Amino acid sequence: MTASTRARPSAELVTAGVVLVLGLAYGVQSLQEGIGTPTSSGAGFFPLLVAGVLVLSSVVVIVQERRGAAPIVETLLEEDDGGALEAAEVHWPRVVGVLLTSLAVPFLAGTVGFVTSLSVAMAVIAKLMGMRGWWRPAALGLAFGVITWWVFVYWLVVPLPAGVLGLG
């Protein structure tokens, strides 16, 4: 099969591959934070669980895509000028922007803190996805950070990487 006749990988396969790399990087970062003991979880415990879910789900999608056994998902449809429905195209810059923003979270968590990096990432992703203005994405990111801190640090007493701001 030549390069010109080779089928392009599907959006699902590419996304699963990137999420697999993200999950592995996230897992390495979480192990560096320390997972603690069974009686006292460390700062890397919850991030390690998230990394495990990311890696496992990515591997399942990759295997299904490679075997051709991926579940059939309803295609997004758009109406053209004549009223006919046609498949919507993937907006690759948006997909890449969201994936890169997500990939930055584990790398920035040790420096600026997990909650801070998640909050900023949520605001950037909201903006990339088309949220208008800057106040709305900033408010969403702030609310997401406050809720994340409250649930994990305050309520569940799961220490998260605090970074230089000490918000863990």
Side-chain angles (χ1 to χ4, degrees), residues 30-46 48 159:
S30 67
L31 289 173
Q32 291 174 352
E33 291 292 330
I35 58 172
T37 65
T39 58
S40 175
S41 61
F45 177 74
F46 179 72
L48 184 62

Coordinates of all heavy atoms in Angstrom, one line a residue, residues 30-46 48 159:
S30 N 2.1 11.9 38.5 CA 1.5 11.5 39.8 C 2.4 10.6 40.6 O 2.4 10.8 41.9 CB 0.1 10.8 39.5 OG 0.3 9.6 38.9
L31 N 3.1 9.7 40.0 CA 4.0 8.9 40.8 C 5.1 9.7 41.4 O 5.6 9.5 42.5 CB 4.6 7.8 39.9 CG 3.7 6.7 39.5 CD1 4.3 5.8 38.5 CD2 3.2 5.9 40.7
Q32 N 5.6 10.8 40.7 CA 6.6 11.7 41.3 C 6.1 12.5 42.5 O 6.8 12.9 43.3 CB 7.1 12.6 40.2 CG 7.9 11.9 39.1 CD 8.3 12.8 38.0 OE1 7.8 14.0 37.9 NE2 9.1 12.3 37.1
E33 N 4.8 12.7 42.5 CA 4.1 13.4 43.7 C 4.0 12.5 44.9 O 3.9 12.9 46.0 CB 2.8 14.0 43.3 CG 2.8 15.1 42.3 CD 3.4 16.4 42.9 OE1 3.3 16.6 44.1 OE2 4.0 17.1 42.1
G34 N 4.0 11.2 44.6 CA 3.8 10.2 45.7 C 2.4 9.8 45.9 O 1.5 10.7 46.0
I35 N 2.1 8.5 45.9 CA 0.7 8.1 46.1 C 0.3 7.8 47.5 O -0.8 7.6 47.8 CB 0.4 6.9 45.2 CG1 1.3 5.7 45.5 CG2 0.5 7.2 43.7 CD1 0.9 4.4 44.8
G36 N 1.3 7.8 48.4 CA 1.0 7.6 49.8 C 0.8 6.2 50.2 O 1.3 5.3 49.5
T37 N 0.1 5.9 51.3 CA -0.1 4.6 51.8 C -1.6 4.3 51.8 O -2.4 5.2 51.6 CB 0.4 4.5 53.2 OG1 -0.4 5.4 54.1 CG2 1.9 4.9 53.4
P38 N -2.0 3.0 52.0 CA -3.5 2.8 52.0 C -4.2 3.6 53.1 O -5.4 3.8 52.9 CB -3.5 1.3 52.3 CG -2.2 0.7 51.8 CD -1.2 1.8 52.1
T39 N -3.6 4.0 54.1 CA -4.3 4.7 55.2 C -4.2 6.2 55.0 O -5.0 7.0 55.6 CB -3.8 4.3 56.6 OG1 -2.4 4.6 56.6 CG2 -4.1 2.9 56.9
S40 N -3.2 6.7 54.3 CA -3.0 8.1 54.1 C -2.6 8.4 52.6 O -1.4 8.2 52.3 CB -2.0 8.6 55.0 OG -1.7 10.0 54.8
S41 N -3.5 8.8 51.8 CA -3.2 9.0 50.4 C -2.3 10.2 50.2 O -2.4 11.2 50.9 CB -4.5 9.2 49.6 OG -5.2 10.3 50.0
G42 N -1.4 10.1 49.2 CA -0.5 11.2 48.9 C -1.1 12.1 47.8 O -2.2 11.8 47.3
A43 N -0.3 13.1 47.4 CA -0.8 14.1 46.4 C -1.0 13.4 45.1 O -1.8 13.9 44.3 CB 0.2 15.2 46.3
G44 N -0.3 12.4 44.8 CA -0.4 11.7 43.5 C -1.5 10.6 43.4 O -1.7 10.1 42.3
F45 N -2.2 10.3 44.5 CA -3.1 9.2 44.5 C -4.3 9.4 43.5 O -4.5 8.6 42.6 CB -3.7 9.0 45.9 CG -4.7 7.9 45.9 CD1 -4.3 6.6 45.8 CD2 -6.0 8.2 46.1 CE1 -5.3 5.6 45.8 CE2 -7.0 7.2 46.1 CZ -6.6 5.9 46.0
F46 N -5.0 10.5 43.6 CA -6.1 10.8 42.7 C -5.7 11.0 41.3 O -6.3 10.4 40.4 CB -7.0 12.0 43.2 CG -8.1 12.3 42.3 CD1 -9.2 11.5 42.2 CD2 -8.1 13.4 41.4 CE1 -10.3 11.7 41.3 CE2 -9.1 13.7 40.6 CZ -10.2 12.8 40.5
L48 N -3.2 9.6 39.8 CA -2.9 8.3 39.3 C -4.1 7.5 38.9 O -4.1 6.8 37.9 CB -2.1 7.5 40.4 CG -1.6 6.1 39.9 CD1 -0.6 6.3 38.7 CD2 -0.9 5.4 41.0
P159 N -4.8 15.3 49.3 CA -3.8 16.3 49.0 C -3.5 16.4 47.5 O -3.3 15.3 46.9 CB -2.6 16.0 49.8 CG -2.8 14.5 50.1 CD -4.2 14.2 50.0

